[in-house]
Amino acid sequence: MTVAVAAMLSAGAASADTLRLLTWGGYAPEDVVAKFEAETGHTVEVTKSNNEEMIAKLRATGGGGFDLAQPSQDRIAGPQAEFGIYKPIDLSKIDASLFIPSMLEATQGNTTVGSDVYGVPHVWGTSGLVVDTAKASMVQDYTDLCASDVAGKVSYRLKRPTLIGFAFSMGLDPFAAYGDEAAYADIMSQVEAKLIECKAGVKTYWGGGDELMGLMRSGEVVASMAWDTGGWKLNSDNADITFVAPAAGALGWVDTFVLPAKGKADDAAYAWINFVMQPEVAAMITAAAGNFTASKGADEFASADLKARYQGSFPAEAIDNIKWYPPVPAGLEAIEGGVLDRVKAAK
C-alpha cells in the first residue's frame, strides 16, 4: 500500500460512512468489500446494474441515491451536459500513481465537460485480433484479414468495431472525424469499399462468441476480429491461438468511476477508488470480473496463466496504442448502418 493511499484510507476511517455503490457484476466482489470495510471502517452497499439502468436511475433522481457509480466512459459527457447527473472529480483526492498513465489521461479527456473532469478509469477491455499463430502469424493488423494467405479462413462481425478497426488500419482516424459528419461519411465509404473488396475471403461473419469459438477451435477460421478475453479463453485450450493487439491499435472500452451529483459520501467514494486501484486488490477484481483494471502493475498479481496471456498480448506500447471509444455523436450510427447493410448485400 502506498503512503498516499494509507493516508487517504486513514483519513476516511476517521468519519466512517456508508458507500452506496452502483456498479457492474464482478466489480465489487465480497472479499474486496470485506477487506475495504475492515481497513477503512466504511460500509458498502452494492447495487448491480448496467449502463442503461445506471443512467436511468441517476436521471430519475437528479443524481441522487448513490455515492459512486461506474458507467462506461462514453456515457458520461453527454448525460452530464444534458442532465447534470454527476459532480466533478477532485483529482487531488485520487492517487494518480496507481493508474496506468495512458488510460488515466484518455479517460479524463473523454469525460471532460467544460473545464471539469467527471470520470477516472477502472475496468477495461478491448477488441482486436484472435489469431492461430501456427497458421496465420502474418495477421498483425485488421486489414491483414484480407490477405490471400488466409483467404477463406477469416471471420469478423458486421458491426461498428469492424468499421472502426479497418479505418484505423487503413491509416484513417474515425474518432477524429466524429465532429464532422461529412468527413466521417468519407472515411466510412473508404472502409465500405475495402470490406466489399475483402468479402470473398471471409469464411463467415460471426454473430456470437460461441460461434467464433467453435470456428477457431475447429480450424475453419485461423484469424478473426474478437475480444481479448475470448482470445485468452481459446489460448487455454490451444497454445497456438491467442489475442493479438493490432498494429493500428486495439479498440478499447472502459468502465469508470463517477460521483453522482447528489452523493453524500464523497470521502468514502474516494477511499474506495484508491483502495481498489492498489495492484493486489485490483487483481482480486480481475479474478472476479474476468477483465483487467487500469491499476498499474496489477497484472503481476494475476494468476500465472492469465498474467502470461495478458503480458503476451499487451506489451506497454500496445497498451499506450489502444484506441478508446469516445461518445458517439448523433447521426453517425445511421451512416454506419448504411455501410454495414451495403457490405452485407454486396456480391
Side-chain angles (χ1 to χ4, degrees):
M1 185 183 301
T2 67
V3 173
V5 170
M8 290 174 183
L9 296 180
S10 176
S15 56
D17 292 309
T18 295
L19 174 66
R20 298 166 300 170
L21 176 62
L22 184 61
T23 189
W24 300 77
Y27 288 15
E30 291 181 3
D31 54 352
V32 171
V33 170
K35 187 175 174 66
F36 174 77
E37 291 179 339
E39 292 190 18
T40 68
H42 298 304
T43 56
V44 182
E45 294 178 357
V46 178
T47 300
K48 297 177 183 178
S49 189
N50 57 45
N51 274 320
E52 288 70 27
E53 289 180 358
M54 287 185 204
I55 303 304
K57 288 177 184 293
L58 295 175
R59 279 188 62 187
T61 59
F66 299 94
D67 307 299
L68 188 64
Q70 297 209 248
S72 299
Q73 72 165 359
D74 60 353
R75 306 300 182 94
I76 297 177
Q80 174 58 24
E82 189 170 359
F83 308 116
I85 55 177
Y86 308 125
K87 67 177 74 171
I89 297 281
D90 183 347
L91 295 175
S92 71
K93 295 182 178 180
I94 300 292
D95 186 349
S97 70
L98 295 171
F99 292 80
I100 296 171
S102 61
M103 292 190 189
L104 183 61
E105 180 181 358
T107 300
Q108 289 178 356
N110 282 326
T111 63
T112 294
V113 179
S115 60
D116 292 319
V117 172
Y118 287 88
V120 292
H122 187 213
V123 176
W124 63 278
T126 67
S127 59
L129 299 168
V130 174
V131 178
D132 186 330
T133 57
K135 300 174 181 176
S137 61
M138 50 74 62
V139 176
Q140 297 291 318
D141 211 345
Y142 302 104
T143 51
D144 291 340
L145 295 170
C146 300
S148 59
D149 292 356
V150 291
K153 292 188 175 183
V154 302
S155 186
Y156 39 85
R157 294 187 301 163
L158 280 183
K159 298 287 185 181
R160 73 181 310 265
T162 300
L163 304 180
I164 299 298
F166 267 71
F168 276 114
S169 189
M170 293 166 65
L172 307 169
D173 189 342
F175 295 162
Y178 264 18
D180 185 336
E181 194 167 311
Y184 193 75
D186 179 63
I187 289 174
M188 287 298 108
S189 70
Q190 296 178 61
V191 172
E192 177 182 336
K194 183 66 174 177
L195 289 173
I196 291 174
E197 173 192 325
C198 299
K199 188 170 183 178
V202 178
K203 172 70 175 179
T204 186
Y205 296 117
W206 64 268
D210 289 343
E211 179 186 1
L212 175 63
M213 293 285 183
L215 290 166
M216 293 293 299
R217 287 183 175 125
S218 69
E220 294 176 81
V221 166
V222 297
S224 178
M225 278 189 70
W227 301 287
D228 46 23
T229 50
W232 296 332
K233 184 175 181 180
L234 286 165
N235 182 257
S236 67
D237 300 329
N238 183 338
D240 290 331
I241 303 175
T242 193
F243 179 83
V244 174
L251 305 177
W253 57 266
V254 59
D255 293 331
T256 67
F257 293 112
V258 299
L259 298 174
K262 296 179 181 177
K264 299 177 180 179
D266 287 359
D267 286 345
Y270 287 116
W272 175 264
I273 294 170
N274 289 310
F275 178 80
V276 300
M277 294 309 294
Q278 296 174 92
E280 300 94 329
V281 179
M284 296 166 67
I285 293 173
T286 292
N291 289 97
F292 280 87
T293 78
S295 171
K296 185 178 180 181
D299 54 301
E300 294 294 338
F301 296 90
S303 67
D305 289 347
L306 186 55
K307 172 184 173 181
R309 292 177 189 126
Y310 171 86
Q311 293 182 346
S313 298
F314 285 111
E317 59 270 20
I319 290 286
D320 293 342
N321 194 35
I322 292 172
K323 304 300 191 288
W324 301 102
Y325 284 110
V328 182
L332 299 195
E333 290 181 348
I335 294 172
E336 295 167 353
V339 169
L340 293 169
D341 286 343
R342 289 188 292 274
V343 172
K344 183 177 181 179
K347 302 297 184 182

